[in-house]
Amino acid sequence: MLYHLLYPLHETISGFNVFRYITFRSIGAALTAFLLLLLVSPWFIRFLRDKQIGQVVRTDGPASHISKQGVPTMGGVLILFAITVSTLLWVDLTNSFVWVVLGITLWYGVIGAYDDFQKIKKRNSKGLSARGKLVFQAVGVLVAGSYLLFVHPDFDTHLSFPFLKDIRPDLGPWYILFAVFVVIGASNAVNLTDGLDGLAIGPTVISSSVYLMFSYLAGHIGLSAYLQIPYVPGAGEIAIFCGAMVGAGLGFLWYNAFPAQVFMGDVGSLAIGGGLGMIAIIIKQEILLAIVGGIFVMEALSVILQVGFFKLSGGKRIFLMAPFHHHFEKKGWHEPKVVVRFWIVSIVLGLAALATLKIR
Ligand code: 57M
C-alpha cells in the first residue's frame, strides 16, 4: 500500500523514490513484522492463556516434554497476522504472485487452526485426520496451480536443478501434481520439525532469508541472466513477503526460544511450510528447497524411514525416536543444544544453496 501511496509523490518529495526499490521494501516489511510480533506477543500470549488455548502434550514423548503441558499454543495466528499486515503494507498490490503465496499461506493456516482447535477441544494430540489434512492441502495447491498454469500469462512449467543449468525438463500440465507434492511436502515437513523450542522457526528465518535473495534475483532480468537462473517477471515482489517472514520469524523466536512461552501450533507450522513451498514453485527454485529447507527434509525423512523400517522389521527402530530431533534428546542432548546445532546445520545449508548460484 505504501508503494502505491508514496512512490507517486517522489517527484515532489524526492526521498519517496526509495519506495520503488524492492530491497528497501523488503527491509521495511521485515522490520514491520518484527516489531508487530515483539509488541503484540505479550498481550496475545496472555490472551491464549486466559482462553486456555494450551498445548496438550503426548505422554509417549521424551520425559522432558511433560513439563510443557499447557504452554500457550496457536502463536502462529500472530505470525500470520504480522506477515499479512506487513506484506500488504509494503508490497505492490497488483502483483499476482504475492496474492498466490499469501493465499496458500493463509489457507494452510486455516487448516492448521482447525487441527489445533480439534486437539484443544478434545484435549488430545490427534486433531484433524491425516487424510482430511492432505485433501484440504491438495485442493489449495490445485487451485493455485491452475491459476498459475492456465490464467497467469507466462508461467513456466520447466523444472530447474541446482548446479545443472542446462537440464530443464518441461512437465507441462503435470507440473501441477509436482507443485502439490512440493507444497504439501514442505508444509508437513515443517509441521514435523516443530517439536522443540525454536526448532522450526530458526530454519524458517534462514530459509526465508535465502528465498528473499533468490526471489529478488529471479525477478531481475539482468542478474538472472548473468547467474543463469530462470527469469520470472514479477517474482521480485515475493522478496517482500520473504522479508515479512524473516521479521515475523525473529519476533516469534523472541518468545519461542527455550524455555518457550508460546508454541506456533499447526496454524503456524503448516502455513509456513506451505508458503515456503509455494515460493519455491513460483520463483522456479523447487529442487533447491531440498537444500535450503534441508533440516525440514531431514526431519520428514527420519519419520518416513522410522515408520517404514518399524513396519518392515516387525517393530525395530532406526532412530531412538523420530523425528530426528527426538533421537538426540534420547541420546541425552539438552533441548537448546539440539536446537542450536540444527540451526547451525540450517545456516550451512542456506550458504550451500547460495553457492549454487555460482557453481553452475
Ligand atoms: C507435529 N508436534 C509436536 C506444538 C507445535 C507420525 C509421527 C512422526 C507424527 C509425529 C507428530 O505427532 N507430529 C505432530 C509435531 C508438538 O508440538 C505441537 O505441534 C505444533 C506443530 N505441529 O507448534 O503446538 C510437541 O512438540 C513440542 N514442542 C516444543 N516446542 C515448540 O516450540 O517443545 C513444539 C513446539 C509439543 C511440545 O512437546 O507438545 C509433537 O512432537 O507432537 N509424532 C511425533 O513427532 C512423535 N514421534 C513418534 O511417535 N515417533 C515414533 C513413530 C515415528 C514410529 C517412533 O519414533 O517410534 C513424537 N512427538 C511426541 N511424542 N509429542 C514422540 C512422541
Side-chain angles (χ1 to χ4, degrees), residues 236-273:
E237 289 294 321
I238 293 178
I240 289 139
F241 179 88
C242 293
M245 289 261 281
V246 170
L250 290 172
F252 179 73
L253 179 58
W254 190 274
Y255 298 96
N256 184 240
F258 182 85
Q261 296 163 259
V262 62
F263 297 153
M264 68 171 74
D266 285 24
V267 59
S269 58
L270 291 180
I272 287 168

Side-chain angles (χ1 to χ4, degrees), residues 55-62 65-66 68 72-74 115-116 119 125 133 190-200 252 256 260 262-270 302-303 306-307 310 317 319-323 325-326 335:
Q55 185 61 50
V56 177
V57 176
R58 291 173 46 171
T59 53
D60 59 348
H65 285 240
I66 300 300
K68 297 170 183 271
T73 186
M74 293 191 74
D115 193 14
D116 287 329
K119 289 180 205 168
S125 62
K133 195 184 288 187
V190 175
N191 184 43
L192 286 170
T193 304
D194 193 27
L196 296 180
D197 297 354
L199 184 63
F252 179 73
N256 184 240
V262 62
F263 297 153
M264 68 171 74
D266 285 24
V267 59
S269 58
L270 291 180
S302 70
V303 171
Q306 180 87 326
V307 173
F310 188 85
R317 286 179 164 82
F319 308 103
L320 296 175
M321 183 177 280
H325 54 265
H326 287 315
E335 184 171 350

Side-chain angles (χ1 to χ4, degrees), residues 2 36-37 50 147 154 275 297 302 327 340-341:
L2 294 177
L36 267 175
L37 254 295
D50 295 347
Y147 166 76
D154 50 8
V297 173
S302 70
H327 174 78
V340 172
R341 286 180 171 176

Side-chain angles (χ1 to χ4, degrees), residues 145-196:
S146 301
Y147 166 76
L148 289 173
L149 261 68
F150 309 119
V151 178
H152 196 276
D154 50 8
F155 188 77
D156 179 7
T157 56
H158 288 79
L159 277 189
S160 62
F161 292 86
F163 308 111
L164 309 168
K165 66 181 181 300
D166 299 322
I167 299 180
R168 299 221 47 217
D170 185 0
L171 298 187
W174 296 105
Y175 188 87
I176 280 196
L177 294 183
F178 174 71
V180 168
F181 170 74
V182 168
V183 177
I184 291 184
S187 177
N188 289 297
V190 175
N191 184 43
L192 286 170
T193 304
D194 193 27
L196 296 180

